[in-house]
Short mmCIF file of all heavy atoms in Angstrom, two decimals:
data_model
loop_
_atom_site.label_atom_id
_atom_site.label_comp_id
_atom_site.label_asym_id
_atom_site.label_seq_id
_atom_site.Cartn_x
_atom_site.Cartn_y
_atom_site.Cartn_z
N MET A 16 9.20 -2.49 16.03
CA MET A 16 8.28 -2.39 14.91
C MET A 16 8.68 -1.24 13.99
O MET A 16 8.54 -1.35 12.79
CB MET A 16 6.85 -2.21 15.40
CG MET A 16 5.92 -2.08 14.25
SD MET A 16 4.15 -2.27 14.47
CE MET A 16 3.83 -2.49 16.13
N LYS A 17 9.15 -0.16 14.54
CA LYS A 17 9.54 1.00 13.73
C LYS A 17 10.62 0.62 12.72
O LYS A 17 10.59 1.04 11.57
CB LYS A 17 10.02 2.12 14.63
CG LYS A 17 10.27 3.42 13.92
CD LYS A 17 10.61 4.51 14.91
CE LYS A 17 10.80 5.82 14.21
NZ LYS A 17 11.12 6.89 15.14
N GLY A 18 11.56 -0.22 13.12
CA GLY A 18 12.62 -0.67 12.22
C GLY A 18 12.08 -1.47 11.06
O GLY A 18 12.54 -1.36 9.93
N LEU A 19 11.06 -2.29 11.31
CA LEU A 19 10.45 -3.09 10.25
C LEU A 19 9.77 -2.20 9.22
O LEU A 19 9.90 -2.42 8.01
CB LEU A 19 9.44 -4.07 10.84
CG LEU A 19 8.73 -5.00 9.85
CD1 LEU A 19 9.74 -5.85 9.09
CD2 LEU A 19 7.74 -5.87 10.58
N ILE A 20 9.09 -1.17 9.67
CA ILE A 20 8.42 -0.24 8.75
C ILE A 20 9.46 0.49 7.90
O ILE A 20 9.29 0.64 6.70
CB ILE A 20 7.52 0.74 9.53
CG1 ILE A 20 6.34 -0.02 10.12
CG2 ILE A 20 7.04 1.88 8.62
CD1 ILE A 20 5.51 0.77 11.09
N ILE A 21 10.55 0.90 8.50
CA ILE A 21 11.61 1.56 7.74
C ILE A 21 12.18 0.60 6.71
O ILE A 21 12.44 0.98 5.57
CB ILE A 21 12.70 2.11 8.68
CG1 ILE A 21 12.14 3.28 9.49
CG2 ILE A 21 13.94 2.54 7.91
CD1 ILE A 21 13.02 3.75 10.62
N MET A 22 12.37 -0.66 7.07
CA MET A 22 12.90 -1.64 6.13
C MET A 22 11.95 -1.83 4.94
O MET A 22 12.40 -1.94 3.81
CB MET A 22 13.12 -2.99 6.83
CG MET A 22 14.33 -3.02 7.72
SD MET A 22 14.53 -4.56 8.66
CE MET A 22 14.06 -5.81 7.52
N LEU A 23 10.65 -1.88 5.18
CA LEU A 23 9.69 -2.07 4.09
C LEU A 23 9.72 -0.89 3.12
O LEU A 23 9.55 -1.07 1.92
CB LEU A 23 8.28 -2.24 4.65
CG LEU A 23 7.95 -3.60 5.21
CD1 LEU A 23 6.56 -3.59 5.84
CD2 LEU A 23 8.04 -4.69 4.16
N ARG A 24 9.95 0.30 3.61
CA ARG A 24 10.01 1.48 2.74
C ARG A 24 11.22 1.43 1.82
O ARG A 24 11.25 2.09 0.80
CB ARG A 24 10.03 2.75 3.59
CG ARG A 24 8.71 3.02 4.22
CD ARG A 24 8.71 4.34 4.92
NE ARG A 24 7.45 4.52 5.61
CZ ARG A 24 7.26 5.35 6.61
NH1 ARG A 24 8.26 6.09 7.05
NH2 ARG A 24 6.10 5.47 7.19
N ASP A 25 12.23 0.67 2.19
CA ASP A 25 13.43 0.56 1.36
C ASP A 25 13.22 -0.34 0.15
O ASP A 25 14.05 -0.36 -0.75
CB ASP A 25 14.60 0.03 2.19
CG ASP A 25 15.08 1.03 3.22
OD1 ASP A 25 14.81 2.23 3.05
OD2 ASP A 25 15.71 0.59 4.21
N TYR A 26 12.15 -1.08 0.11
CA TYR A 26 11.89 -2.00 -0.99
C TYR A 26 10.82 -1.42 -1.90
O TYR A 26 9.80 -0.93 -1.45
CB TYR A 26 11.43 -3.36 -0.46
CG TYR A 26 12.54 -4.08 0.28
CD1 TYR A 26 12.64 -4.01 1.65
CD2 TYR A 26 13.49 -4.80 -0.43
CE1 TYR A 26 13.66 -4.67 2.33
CE2 TYR A 26 14.51 -5.45 0.23
CZ TYR A 26 14.59 -5.38 1.61
OH TYR A 26 15.60 -6.02 2.26
N ASN A 27 11.04 -1.51 -3.19
CA ASN A 27 10.08 -1.00 -4.16
C ASN A 27 8.89 -1.93 -4.34
O ASN A 27 7.97 -1.61 -5.07
CB ASN A 27 10.76 -0.77 -5.51
CG ASN A 27 11.72 0.39 -5.47
OD1 ASN A 27 11.55 1.31 -4.68
ND2 ASN A 27 12.72 0.36 -6.31
N ASP A 28 8.92 -3.09 -3.69
CA ASP A 28 7.83 -4.05 -3.83
C ASP A 28 6.60 -3.64 -3.04
O ASP A 28 5.53 -4.19 -3.27
CB ASP A 28 8.28 -5.43 -3.34
CG ASP A 28 9.41 -6.00 -4.17
OD1 ASP A 28 9.60 -5.54 -5.31
OD2 ASP A 28 10.09 -6.89 -3.67
N TYR A 29 6.74 -2.71 -2.12
CA TYR A 29 5.64 -2.29 -1.26
C TYR A 29 5.35 -0.82 -1.46
O TYR A 29 6.25 -0.03 -1.68
CB TYR A 29 5.98 -2.55 0.20
CG TYR A 29 6.25 -4.01 0.47
CD1 TYR A 29 7.54 -4.49 0.51
CD2 TYR A 29 5.20 -4.90 0.66
CE1 TYR A 29 7.79 -5.83 0.73
CE2 TYR A 29 5.45 -6.23 0.88
CZ TYR A 29 6.74 -6.70 0.92
OH TYR A 29 6.97 -8.03 1.13
N MET A 30 4.07 -0.47 -1.35
CA MET A 30 3.66 0.93 -1.49
C MET A 30 2.84 1.31 -0.26
O MET A 30 2.13 0.48 0.32
CB MET A 30 2.77 1.10 -2.72
CG MET A 30 3.44 0.73 -4.02
SD MET A 30 2.30 0.79 -5.42
CE MET A 30 2.14 2.56 -5.62
N THR A 31 2.91 2.57 0.09
CA THR A 31 2.03 3.10 1.14
C THR A 31 0.71 3.51 0.47
O THR A 31 0.67 3.71 -0.76
CB THR A 31 2.65 4.32 1.82
OG1 THR A 31 2.78 5.36 0.86
CG2 THR A 31 4.00 3.98 2.44
N PRO A 32 -0.35 3.67 1.23
CA PRO A 32 -1.60 4.15 0.63
C PRO A 32 -1.43 5.49 -0.09
O PRO A 32 -2.02 5.70 -1.15
CB PRO A 32 -2.53 4.27 1.84
CG PRO A 32 -2.04 3.21 2.77
CD PRO A 32 -0.54 3.26 2.62
N GLN A 33 -0.60 6.36 0.43
CA GLN A 33 -0.37 7.66 -0.22
C GLN A 33 0.29 7.47 -1.58
O GLN A 33 -0.07 8.13 -2.56
CB GLN A 33 0.49 8.57 0.66
CG GLN A 33 0.67 9.96 0.08
CD GLN A 33 -0.64 10.72 -0.01
OE1 GLN A 33 -1.30 10.92 1.01
NE2 GLN A 33 -1.04 11.13 -1.19
N GLU A 34 1.24 6.56 -1.67
CA GLU A 34 1.90 6.29 -2.94
C GLU A 34 0.92 5.72 -3.96
O GLU A 34 0.97 6.06 -5.14
CB GLU A 34 3.08 5.34 -2.74
CG GLU A 34 4.23 5.96 -1.99
CD GLU A 34 5.29 4.97 -1.58
OE1 GLU A 34 4.99 3.77 -1.39
OE2 GLU A 34 6.45 5.40 -1.43
N VAL A 35 0.03 4.84 -3.51
CA VAL A 35 -0.99 4.27 -4.39
C VAL A 35 -1.89 5.39 -4.92
O VAL A 35 -2.16 5.48 -6.11
CB VAL A 35 -1.82 3.19 -3.67
CG1 VAL A 35 -2.98 2.72 -4.55
CG2 VAL A 35 -0.96 2.02 -3.25
N ALA A 36 -2.34 6.24 -4.02
CA ALA A 36 -3.23 7.35 -4.40
C ALA A 36 -2.54 8.27 -5.41
O ALA A 36 -3.13 8.63 -6.43
CB ALA A 36 -3.66 8.13 -3.17
N ASP A 37 -1.30 8.62 -5.16
CA ASP A 37 -0.56 9.51 -6.05
C ASP A 37 -0.32 8.88 -7.42
O ASP A 37 -0.52 9.50 -8.45
CB ASP A 37 0.79 9.91 -5.44
CG ASP A 37 0.66 10.79 -4.22
OD1 ASP A 37 -0.44 11.35 -4.00
OD2 ASP A 37 1.65 10.91 -3.47
N GLU A 38 0.09 7.63 -7.42
CA GLU A 38 0.46 6.97 -8.67
C GLU A 38 -0.75 6.72 -9.57
O GLU A 38 -0.66 6.79 -10.79
CB GLU A 38 1.17 5.64 -8.40
CG GLU A 38 1.72 5.01 -9.66
CD GLU A 38 2.74 3.93 -9.39
OE1 GLU A 38 3.50 4.04 -8.41
OE2 GLU A 38 2.79 2.98 -10.18
N PHE A 39 -1.90 6.44 -8.97
CA PHE A 39 -3.06 6.07 -9.77
C PHE A 39 -4.15 7.14 -9.82
O PHE A 39 -5.22 6.92 -10.37
CB PHE A 39 -3.62 4.73 -9.29
CG PHE A 39 -2.63 3.62 -9.49
CD1 PHE A 39 -1.85 3.17 -8.44
CD2 PHE A 39 -2.41 3.09 -10.75
CE1 PHE A 39 -0.91 2.17 -8.63
CE2 PHE A 39 -1.48 2.09 -10.95
CZ PHE A 39 -0.72 1.63 -9.88
N GLY A 40 -3.85 8.30 -9.24
CA GLY A 40 -4.75 9.44 -9.37
C GLY A 40 -6.09 9.28 -8.68
O GLY A 40 -7.11 9.73 -9.20
N VAL A 41 -6.08 8.63 -7.54
CA VAL A 41 -7.31 8.51 -6.74
C VAL A 41 -7.06 9.15 -5.38
O VAL A 41 -5.92 9.43 -5.01
CB VAL A 41 -7.74 7.03 -6.57
CG1 VAL A 41 -8.10 6.41 -7.91
CG2 VAL A 41 -6.66 6.22 -5.88
N SER A 42 -8.12 9.36 -4.64
CA SER A 42 -7.96 9.99 -3.33
C SER A 42 -7.45 8.97 -2.31
O SER A 42 -7.62 7.76 -2.47
CB SER A 42 -9.29 10.57 -2.83
OG SER A 42 -10.17 9.54 -2.47
N LEU A 43 -6.83 9.48 -1.27
CA LEU A 43 -6.35 8.63 -0.18
C LEU A 43 -7.53 7.92 0.48
O LEU A 43 -7.42 6.75 0.85
CB LEU A 43 -5.57 9.48 0.82
CG LEU A 43 -4.81 8.76 1.91
CD1 LEU A 43 -3.84 7.75 1.32
CD2 LEU A 43 -4.07 9.76 2.78
N THR A 44 -8.65 8.59 0.59
CA THR A 44 -9.85 7.98 1.17
C THR A 44 -10.28 6.77 0.35
O THR A 44 -10.64 5.73 0.91
CB THR A 44 -11.00 9.00 1.24
OG1 THR A 44 -10.57 10.12 2.03
CG2 THR A 44 -12.26 8.40 1.83
N THR A 45 -10.22 6.88 -0.97
CA THR A 45 -10.58 5.77 -1.84
C THR A 45 -9.67 4.57 -1.59
O THR A 45 -10.13 3.43 -1.49
CB THR A 45 -10.51 6.19 -3.32
OG1 THR A 45 -11.46 7.23 -3.54
CG2 THR A 45 -10.78 5.03 -4.25
N VAL A 46 -8.37 4.83 -1.47
CA VAL A 46 -7.41 3.74 -1.22
C VAL A 46 -7.73 3.05 0.10
O VAL A 46 -7.79 1.82 0.16
CB VAL A 46 -5.97 4.27 -1.23
CG1 VAL A 46 -4.99 3.16 -0.86
CG2 VAL A 46 -5.62 4.85 -2.59
N TYR A 47 -7.97 3.83 1.15
CA TYR A 47 -8.28 3.21 2.45
C TYR A 47 -9.60 2.43 2.39
O TYR A 47 -9.70 1.35 2.98
CB TYR A 47 -8.35 4.27 3.56
CG TYR A 47 -6.98 4.67 4.06
CD1 TYR A 47 -6.55 5.97 3.97
CD2 TYR A 47 -6.12 3.75 4.64
CE1 TYR A 47 -5.30 6.35 4.43
CE2 TYR A 47 -4.86 4.11 5.10
CZ TYR A 47 -4.47 5.41 4.99
OH TYR A 47 -3.22 5.77 5.46
N ASN A 48 -10.59 2.95 1.68
CA ASN A 48 -11.85 2.21 1.54
C ASN A 48 -11.64 0.89 0.81
O ASN A 48 -12.22 -0.13 1.18
CB ASN A 48 -12.89 3.07 0.81
CG ASN A 48 -13.43 4.18 1.66
OD1 ASN A 48 -13.36 4.15 2.89
ND2 ASN A 48 -13.96 5.21 1.01
N LEU A 49 -10.81 0.90 -0.24
CA LEU A 49 -10.51 -0.33 -0.97
C LEU A 49 -9.76 -1.33 -0.09
O LEU A 49 -10.01 -2.53 -0.15
CB LEU A 49 -9.71 -0.02 -2.23
CG LEU A 49 -10.45 0.69 -3.35
CD1 LEU A 49 -9.48 1.19 -4.41
CD2 LEU A 49 -11.51 -0.21 -3.95
N LEU A 50 -8.83 -0.84 0.72
CA LEU A 50 -8.10 -1.71 1.63
C LEU A 50 -9.03 -2.34 2.66
O LEU A 50 -9.00 -3.55 2.89
CB LEU A 50 -6.99 -0.93 2.34
CG LEU A 50 -5.76 -0.62 1.51
CD1 LEU A 50 -4.91 0.44 2.18
CD2 LEU A 50 -4.95 -1.88 1.26
N ARG A 51 -9.87 -1.52 3.27
CA ARG A 51 -10.78 -2.03 4.31
C ARG A 51 -11.79 -3.03 3.76
O ARG A 51 -12.18 -3.97 4.44
CB ARG A 51 -11.50 -0.87 4.99
CG ARG A 51 -10.61 -0.10 5.92
CD ARG A 51 -11.40 0.94 6.72
NE ARG A 51 -10.51 1.98 7.16
CZ ARG A 51 -10.43 3.20 6.64
NH1 ARG A 51 -11.23 3.56 5.65
NH2 ARG A 51 -9.58 4.08 7.10
N SER A 52 -12.22 -2.82 2.52
CA SER A 52 -13.23 -3.71 1.92
C SER A 52 -12.60 -5.00 1.40
O SER A 52 -13.32 -5.94 1.07
CB SER A 52 -13.94 -3.00 0.77
OG SER A 52 -13.07 -2.83 -0.34
N GLY A 53 -11.27 -5.03 1.28
CA GLY A 53 -10.60 -6.21 0.76
C GLY A 53 -10.46 -6.21 -0.76
O GLY A 53 -9.91 -7.14 -1.33
N LYS A 54 -10.95 -5.17 -1.42
CA LYS A 54 -10.83 -5.09 -2.88
C LYS A 54 -9.40 -4.78 -3.31
O LYS A 54 -9.00 -5.11 -4.41
CB LYS A 54 -11.79 -4.04 -3.43
CG LYS A 54 -13.24 -4.44 -3.28
CD LYS A 54 -14.17 -3.38 -3.81
CE LYS A 54 -15.60 -3.81 -3.57
NZ LYS A 54 -16.54 -2.76 -3.96
N LEU A 55 -8.65 -4.13 -2.44
CA LEU A 55 -7.23 -3.88 -2.66
C LEU A 55 -6.48 -4.66 -1.59
O LEU A 55 -6.58 -4.34 -0.40
CB LEU A 55 -6.91 -2.38 -2.56
CG LEU A 55 -5.46 -1.99 -2.70
CD1 LEU A 55 -4.91 -2.39 -4.06
CD2 LEU A 55 -5.30 -0.49 -2.50
N PRO A 56 -5.74 -5.70 -1.98
CA PRO A 56 -5.03 -6.49 -0.98
C PRO A 56 -3.91 -5.68 -0.33
O PRO A 56 -3.14 -5.01 -1.02
CB PRO A 56 -4.45 -7.66 -1.78
CG PRO A 56 -5.09 -7.62 -3.11
CD PRO A 56 -5.59 -6.23 -3.32
N GLY A 57 -3.86 -5.73 0.97
CA GLY A 57 -2.82 -5.05 1.72
C GLY A 57 -2.68 -5.65 3.09
O GLY A 57 -3.41 -6.59 3.45
N PHE A 58 -1.76 -5.13 3.86
CA PHE A 58 -1.59 -5.62 5.23
C PHE A 58 -1.19 -4.46 6.12
O PHE A 58 -0.69 -3.44 5.64
CB PHE A 58 -0.54 -6.73 5.27
CG PHE A 58 0.82 -6.34 4.80
CD1 PHE A 58 1.79 -5.91 5.70
CD2 PHE A 58 1.15 -6.39 3.45
CE1 PHE A 58 3.05 -5.53 5.25
CE2 PHE A 58 2.41 -6.02 3.00
CZ PHE A 58 3.36 -5.59 3.90
N LYS A 59 -1.45 -4.64 7.39
CA LYS A 59 -1.13 -3.61 8.37
C LYS A 59 0.00 -4.08 9.27
O LYS A 59 0.06 -5.25 9.64
CB LYS A 59 -2.35 -3.31 9.25
CG LYS A 59 -3.38 -2.45 8.58
CD LYS A 59 -4.56 -2.23 9.49
CE LYS A 59 -4.31 -1.04 10.38
NZ LYS A 59 -5.51 -0.66 11.14
N ILE A 60 0.85 -3.13 9.60
CA ILE A 60 1.83 -3.32 10.66
C ILE A 60 1.56 -2.19 11.63
O ILE A 60 1.76 -1.02 11.30
CB ILE A 60 3.28 -3.26 10.12
CG1 ILE A 60 3.51 -4.37 9.11
CG2 ILE A 60 4.26 -3.34 11.28
CD1 ILE A 60 4.88 -4.33 8.46
N GLY A 61 1.05 -2.56 12.78
CA GLY A 61 0.59 -1.53 13.72
C GLY A 61 -0.58 -0.80 13.10
O GLY A 61 -1.57 -1.41 12.73
N LYS A 62 -0.47 0.50 12.95
CA LYS A 62 -1.54 1.30 12.36
C LYS A 62 -1.27 1.65 10.90
O LYS A 62 -2.07 2.31 10.27
CB LYS A 62 -1.71 2.60 13.15
CG LYS A 62 -2.21 2.38 14.56
CD LYS A 62 -2.40 3.69 15.27
CE LYS A 62 -2.92 3.45 16.67
NZ LYS A 62 -3.17 4.71 17.37
N LYS A 63 -0.15 1.20 10.36
CA LYS A 63 0.24 1.57 9.00
C LYS A 63 -0.10 0.46 8.00
O LYS A 63 0.17 -0.70 8.23
CB LYS A 63 1.73 1.86 8.94
CG LYS A 63 2.13 2.97 9.88
CD LYS A 63 3.22 3.79 9.30
CE LYS A 63 3.61 4.87 10.27
NZ LYS A 63 3.17 6.15 9.88
N TRP A 64 -0.69 0.87 6.88
CA TRP A 64 -1.03 -0.04 5.80
C TRP A 64 0.11 -0.11 4.79
O TRP A 64 0.78 0.89 4.53
CB TRP A 64 -2.26 0.45 5.05
CG TRP A 64 -3.56 0.15 5.70
CD1 TRP A 64 -4.29 0.98 6.50
CD2 TRP A 64 -4.32 -1.06 5.59
NE1 TRP A 64 -5.44 0.36 6.89
CE2 TRP A 64 -5.49 -0.89 6.34
CE3 TRP A 64 -4.11 -2.26 4.93
CZ2 TRP A 64 -6.45 -1.88 6.45
CZ3 TRP A 64 -5.07 -3.25 5.03
CH2 TRP A 64 -6.22 -3.06 5.79
N PHE A 65 0.26 -1.28 4.18
CA PHE A 65 1.20 -1.48 3.08
C PHE A 65 0.51 -2.31 2.01
O PHE A 65 -0.32 -3.18 2.31
CB PHE A 65 2.47 -2.20 3.55
CG PHE A 65 3.28 -1.36 4.48
CD1 PHE A 65 3.08 -1.45 5.85
CD2 PHE A 65 4.20 -0.46 4.00
CE1 PHE A 65 3.81 -0.66 6.73
CE2 PHE A 65 4.93 0.33 4.87
CZ PHE A 65 4.74 0.23 6.23
N VAL A 66 0.86 -2.04 0.77
CA VAL A 66 0.27 -2.73 -0.36
C VAL A 66 1.40 -3.29 -1.21
O VAL A 66 2.40 -2.61 -1.46
CB VAL A 66 -0.57 -1.74 -1.21
CG1 VAL A 66 -1.22 -2.44 -2.38
CG2 VAL A 66 -1.61 -1.04 -0.34
N VAL A 67 1.24 -4.52 -1.66
CA VAL A 67 2.23 -5.12 -2.55
C VAL A 67 2.03 -4.51 -3.93
O VAL A 67 0.94 -4.57 -4.50
CB VAL A 67 2.07 -6.65 -2.58
CG1 VAL A 67 3.08 -7.26 -3.55
CG2 VAL A 67 2.24 -7.24 -1.19
N ARG A 68 3.07 -3.90 -4.46
CA ARG A 68 3.00 -3.18 -5.75
C ARG A 68 2.42 -4.07 -6.85
O ARG A 68 1.58 -3.64 -7.63
CB ARG A 68 4.37 -2.68 -6.15
CG ARG A 68 4.38 -1.91 -7.46
CD ARG A 68 5.76 -1.39 -7.79
NE ARG A 68 6.25 -0.43 -6.83
CZ ARG A 68 5.93 0.87 -6.82
NH1 ARG A 68 5.11 1.35 -7.71
NH2 ARG A 68 6.43 1.67 -5.90
N GLU A 69 2.84 -5.30 -6.93
CA GLU A 69 2.37 -6.22 -7.97
C GLU A 69 0.85 -6.40 -7.91
O GLU A 69 0.19 -6.48 -8.93
CB GLU A 69 3.08 -7.56 -7.81
CG GLU A 69 2.70 -8.58 -8.84
CD GLU A 69 3.45 -9.88 -8.63
OE1 GLU A 69 4.69 -9.87 -8.69
OE2 GLU A 69 2.77 -10.89 -8.39
N LYS A 70 0.29 -6.45 -6.70
CA LYS A 70 -1.16 -6.62 -6.55
C LYS A 70 -1.91 -5.40 -7.07
O LYS A 70 -2.95 -5.53 -7.70
CB LYS A 70 -1.52 -6.85 -5.08
CG LYS A 70 -0.85 -8.02 -4.44
CD LYS A 70 -1.54 -9.29 -4.75
CE LYS A 70 -0.90 -10.41 -3.94
NZ LYS A 70 -1.45 -11.68 -4.23
N VAL A 71 -1.36 -4.21 -6.83
CA VAL A 71 -2.00 -2.98 -7.31
C VAL A 71 -1.96 -2.96 -8.83
O VAL A 71 -2.96 -2.67 -9.48
CB VAL A 71 -1.30 -1.73 -6.74
CG1 VAL A 71 -1.90 -0.47 -7.33
CG2 VAL A 71 -1.37 -1.69 -5.24
N GLU A 72 -0.82 -3.28 -9.39
CA GLU A 72 -0.68 -3.27 -10.84
C GLU A 72 -1.61 -4.27 -11.50
O GLU A 72 -2.20 -4.01 -12.54
CB GLU A 72 0.77 -3.51 -11.23
CG GLU A 72 1.65 -2.32 -10.85
CD GLU A 72 3.13 -2.57 -11.02
OE1 GLU A 72 3.52 -3.72 -11.29
OE2 GLU A 72 3.89 -1.59 -10.87
N ARG A 73 -1.77 -5.44 -10.90
CA ARG A 73 -2.70 -6.45 -11.45
C ARG A 73 -4.14 -5.97 -11.37
O ARG A 73 -4.92 -6.23 -12.26
CB ARG A 73 -2.57 -7.77 -10.68
CG ARG A 73 -1.36 -8.55 -11.04
CD ARG A 73 -1.39 -9.89 -10.36
NE ARG A 73 -0.15 -10.60 -10.58
CZ ARG A 73 0.17 -11.71 -9.98
NH1 ARG A 73 -0.67 -12.27 -9.13
NH2 ARG A 73 1.31 -12.30 -10.24
N LEU A 74 -4.47 -5.29 -10.30
CA LEU A 74 -5.82 -4.78 -10.10
C LEU A 74 -6.15 -3.70 -11.13
O LEU A 74 -7.25 -3.66 -11.68
CB LEU A 74 -5.98 -4.23 -8.69
CG LEU A 74 -7.35 -3.73 -8.26
CD1 LEU A 74 -8.32 -4.89 -8.16
CD2 LEU A 74 -7.26 -3.02 -6.93
N VAL A 75 -5.19 -2.84 -11.40
CA VAL A 75 -5.42 -1.70 -12.28
C VAL A 75 -5.28 -2.07 -13.74
O VAL A 75 -6.06 -1.62 -14.58
CB VAL A 75 -4.45 -0.55 -11.92
CG1 VAL A 75 -4.57 0.59 -12.92
CG2 VAL A 75 -4.72 -0.05 -10.51
N TYR A 76 -4.29 -2.86 -14.07
CA TYR A 76 -4.02 -3.14 -15.48
C TYR A 76 -4.66 -4.41 -15.90
O TYR A 76 -4.81 -5.33 -15.97
CB TYR A 76 -2.51 -3.18 -15.75
CG TYR A 76 -1.85 -1.87 -15.41
CD1 TYR A 76 -0.95 -1.74 -14.37
CD2 TYR A 76 -2.17 -0.72 -16.12
CE1 TYR A 76 -0.35 -0.54 -14.07
CE2 TYR A 76 -1.59 0.49 -15.83
CZ TYR A 76 -0.68 0.57 -14.80
OH TYR A 76 -0.10 1.77 -14.49
#
């Protein structure tokens, strides 16, 4: 599983919750709340969340 997470980080199509928070100027807590509520589409691998960059951009813009 660790190899899969490293592979996902190599692609610009996916963002971590921290990257979402930094890029859009919101708190990390807000990002996790949006993920858990389903308002921000994402997926988990193990305990780590990932967000498809295109989905975030559509949500914000």
Side-chain angles (χ1 to χ4, degrees):
M16 179 165 3
K17 188 174 182 179
L19 181 59
I20 292 170
I21 291 170
M22 285 175 40
L23 282 175
R24 288 186 184 159
D25 291 338
Y26 293 96
N27 290 333
D28 297 340
Y29 300 97
M30 300 174 74
T31 64
Q33 184 65 58
E34 291 170 333
V35 174
D37 292 344
E38 187 164 326
F39 296 100
V41 296
S42 72
L43 189 56
T44 301
T45 298
V46 175
Y47 280 120
N48 287 339
L49 290 169
L50 285 165
R51 286 187 203 105
S52 71
K54 292 179 182 175
L55 177 61
F58 60 94
K59 283 178 87 171
I60 299 176
K62 294 182 179 182
K63 301 215 181 253
W64 280 97
F65 293 92
V66 181
V67 178
R68 181 177 297 278
E69 181 180 299
K70 302 279 187 183
V71 176
E72 291 171 352
R73 283 186 187 172
L74 183 68
V75 174
Y76 300 113

